[in-house]
Amino acid sequence: MEVMSHSSSFLLPAGETSAKRYALIVLNQNLPRFTPLLWEHAKLRLCADGGANRIYDELPLFFPREDALLIRNRYKPDVIKGDMDSIRPDVLHFYLSLGTKVIDESHDQDTTDLDKCILFIRDSPLNQESSKLQILATGALGGRFDHEAGNLNVLYRYPDTRITLLSDDCLIQLLPKTHRHEIHIQPSLLGPHCGLIPIGAPSAKTTTTGLQWDLTDTEMRFGGLVSTSNLVKGEKITVESDSDLLWTISIKKQDPNKTLRSG
C-alpha cells in the first residue's frame, strides 16, 4: 500500500516554514493566532464570504502598534467567494477597491462556501498537476455545529485533495483508506492530545504506531470504541485502516511574540 506523508510544517515560525505549497481559506469564525504566518506563505488567499469581515476586523488586532488601514492593505485577499449573505457592504467595497476578485455564487445553495472556495483552488492554474496545492482552512471549527459538520463533510467530498481544517486549538485532516499514513509531529507545536475518528463508516481494522494507546487490528465505530483523548508518544505516527478516518491533534498555545506569528 502506498504511503501518504503528513506534516504540519506550515505552523513553524517565520524563517523555519517549509517550502510546501498551500492555499489559505479564511472562514467566518475567529482568526487563529497564527493567521498572519499562514497568510504570508500562502500561494493563494481566499475569504469565504463573511471570512472577509474577519480579515478586515481582526487582523489589525494582531498588530496593535501599526495603523489598521496599512494592515488591511497589506493583508488583501486574492479572492472573495461565496453566496455573499454574510460579508458587510463596507468590507466588500473596500476589497473591491484594492482589486480583490469577488465571485458571487448566491445562485448555488447546494454547496457550502468552503466547497465553493475549494473548487476555485482546484481549478486554479497554481494547482499544477505535478505540484498540487495543499488547502488550509481557518475558522472551520467552532461556532455552530451544523457548520462544523458541513466542513467535515467537505473532507470526504474531496478525498484526493489535501485539506486541513484549523482552529486556535486543533487541526483535522482526512486519512483516506487507500493509503498507509505517516504523520510527522512537531512536538513544540502539536500534541500531545490526538484522536482517530471513523465518522464516514465503521472501521473493522485499524492499526497504529506512535500513540500512547496504539490500535492493533482494532474495530472502531460510533456506539462502540473510538480513539479519542489519545496521546502522541513520538515524532512519527503511522496509521493503516480499512476505513477513512479523521485525524485530529491539539495545537499548543505559544507565546505569540515568539512563535506562531509573523510580521
Side-chain angles (χ1 to χ4, degrees):
M1 183 178 290
E2 186 177 353
V3 174
M4 181 180 289
S5 181
H6 305 265
S7 170
S8 302
S9 57
F10 48 79
L11 288 173
L12 288 171
E16 300 177 33
T17 304
S18 76
K20 193 170 186 67
R21 300 172 71 253
Y22 64 84
L24 177 65
I25 301 172
V26 177
L27 300 174
N28 192 13
Q29 286 292 336
N30 292 334
L31 298 181
R33 62 196 182 281
F34 40 81
T35 302
L37 173 64
L38 299 182
W39 191 279
E40 179 179 338
H41 295 283
K43 301 298 182 184
L44 189 60
R45 306 164 184 90
L46 292 87
C47 289
D49 196 0
N53 299 339
R54 300 289 179 167
I55 293 295
Y56 185 91
D57 293 337
E58 297 179 23
L59 257 178
L61 303 179
F62 288 89
F63 306 95
R65 298 182 182 179
E66 297 188 45
D67 181 77
L69 182 59
L70 292 177
I71 298 301
R72 289 170 180 146
N73 278 274
R74 185 191 311 169
Y75 292 92
K76 175 186 77 69
D78 301 307
V79 178
I80 299 172
K81 188 175 184 183
D83 58 14
M84 300 296 139
D85 65 344
S86 300
I87 188 170
R88 299 197 310 268
D90 62 310
V91 174
L92 178 61
H93 294 151
F94 177 80
Y95 288 123
L96 278 171
S97 72
L98 295 182
T100 294
K101 183 176 184 177
V102 175
I103 304 173
D104 184 342
E105 293 203 344
S106 53
H107 63 280
D108 177 10
Q109 294 299 311
D110 293 330
T111 61
T112 67
D113 289 335
L114 178 56
D115 270 292
K116 295 174 172 65
C117 288
I118 288 172
L119 290 173
F120 182 91
I121 294 167
R122 283 163 57 103
D123 292 338
S124 169
L126 291 172
N127 193 40
Q128 305 161 9
E129 188 63 36
S130 60
S131 183
K132 296 287 189 182
L133 289 171
Q134 182 177 2
I135 297 175
L136 312 179
T138 70
L141 309 168
R144 282 172 43 188
F145 179 70
D146 60 330
H147 283 167
E148 286 186 309
N151 293 334
L152 295 176
N153 185 54
V154 164
L155 298 181
Y156 287 84
R157 284 170 59 85
Y158 308 102
D160 60 335
T161 300
R162 294 196 181 212
I163 303 170
T164 301
L165 306 182
L166 291 155
S167 73
D168 216 39
D169 301 303
C170 69
L171 64 82
I172 297 178
Q173 299 168 318
L174 182 69
L175 305 183
K177 64 183 178 183
T178 52
H179 292 73
R180 181 174 179 271
H181 299 273
E182 291 185 353
I183 304 168
H184 299 275
I185 308 296
Q186 286 78 35
S188 63
L189 302 178
L190 299 175
H193 299 95
C194 65
L196 286 165
I197 306 170
I199 283 185
S203 168
K205 291 183 178 182
T206 295
T207 298
T208 69
T209 66
L211 300 178
Q212 181 69 45
W213 295 282
D214 271 322
L215 309 173
T216 304
D217 289 338
T218 303
E219 178 184 358
M220 291 196 296
R221 60 181 177 84
F222 272 84
L225 173 71
V226 293
S227 182
T228 57
S229 300
N230 212 324
L231 300 171
V232 296
K233 290 202 314 183
E235 296 187 15
K236 186 174 80 170
I237 310 300
T238 69
V239 180
E240 188 171 345
S241 180
D242 63 346
S243 174
D244 296 339
L245 299 176
L246 290 180
W247 162 257
T248 182
I249 188 168
S250 58
I251 300 174
K252 291 182 176 178
K253 300 295 185 184
Q254 303 282 344
D255 181 343
N257 296 311
K258 293 182 179 180
T259 53
L260 300 180
R261 285 277 297 275
S262 174

